[in-house]
Amino acid sequence: MHADTAQSAIDTFISAFNASDDAYVISLLSQALTSDVVLWGPLGRSEGIEAVERFVLDIRRHPAGPGTMVRCSGVDMPDEWARYQWVFTTPDGGPRLAGTDVVHLRRGLIDQMIVFAGDLAPTA
């Protein structure tokens, strides 16, 4: 698989967080994810595109207001796995969260996703 294919799926996934309307979220996710996608995140494991849609919509409804999600690194892709860094910022300098996602691609779509939010604690 080519890194361009992975980057396209990743960028389409990220664009769902920034869609102009909630109605576009599922359309964008359908272009980036398999219907049986598995998401491991800070709140546990979720299965299916509808579960990812709920996750995205929850973030879009952040109490500080709608934020912006961006990929802030290149896409590193050894074979069918890819990783990238992202940052989510709320308006007016509100809360900011950054992390790294690791995704697995099947036929050009993300079928597994592991979300690492926040920084790792330094070793003692």
Side-chain angles (χ1 to χ4, degrees), residues 45-97:
R45 177 185 167 144
S46 301
E47 293 185 41
I49 201 165
E50 294 82 13
V52 177
E53 179 187 23
R54 284 190 300 276
F55 170 73
V56 171
L57 291 174
D58 285 348
I59 291 174
R60 286 172 54 87
R61 295 182 181 108
H62 193 282
T68 303
M69 178 78 71
V70 296
R71 179 173 52 85
C72 59
S73 74
V75 173
D76 179 28
M77 185 172 187
D79 201 23
E80 62 208 41
W81 290 91
R83 69 177 173 162
Y84 61 95
Q85 295 178 315
W86 52 267
V87 64
F88 176 78
T89 306
T90 56
D92 302 325
R96 179 182 182 274
L97 183 63

Side-chain angles (χ1 to χ4, degrees), residues 104-119:
H104 181 267
L105 288 104
R106 183 176 74 215
R107 292 186 305 273
L109 299 174
I110 298 168
D111 69 345
Q112 296 182 62
M113 172 174 276
I114 305 169
V115 176
F116 294 96
D119 295 324

Side-chain angles (χ1 to χ4, degrees), residues 3-78:
D4 290 344
T5 303
Q7 183 172 322
S8 177
I10 290 164
D11 288 346
T12 301
F13 167 71
I14 289 173
S15 70
F17 291 91
N18 305 317
S20 60
D21 187 281
D22 285 354
Y24 298 125
V25 171
I26 194 69
S27 173
L28 290 165
L29 294 178
S30 296
Q31 295 172 48
L33 310 174
T34 62
S35 60
D36 62 344
V37 64
V38 178
L39 168 78
W40 284 271
L43 302 177
R45 177 185 167 144
S46 301
E47 293 185 41
I49 201 165
E50 294 82 13
V52 177
E53 179 187 23
R54 284 190 300 276
F55 170 73
V56 171
L57 291 174
D58 285 348
I59 291 174
R60 286 172 54 87
R61 295 182 181 108
H62 193 282
T68 303
M69 178 78 71
V70 296
R71 179 173 52 85
C72 59
S73 74
V75 173
D76 179 28
M77 185 172 187

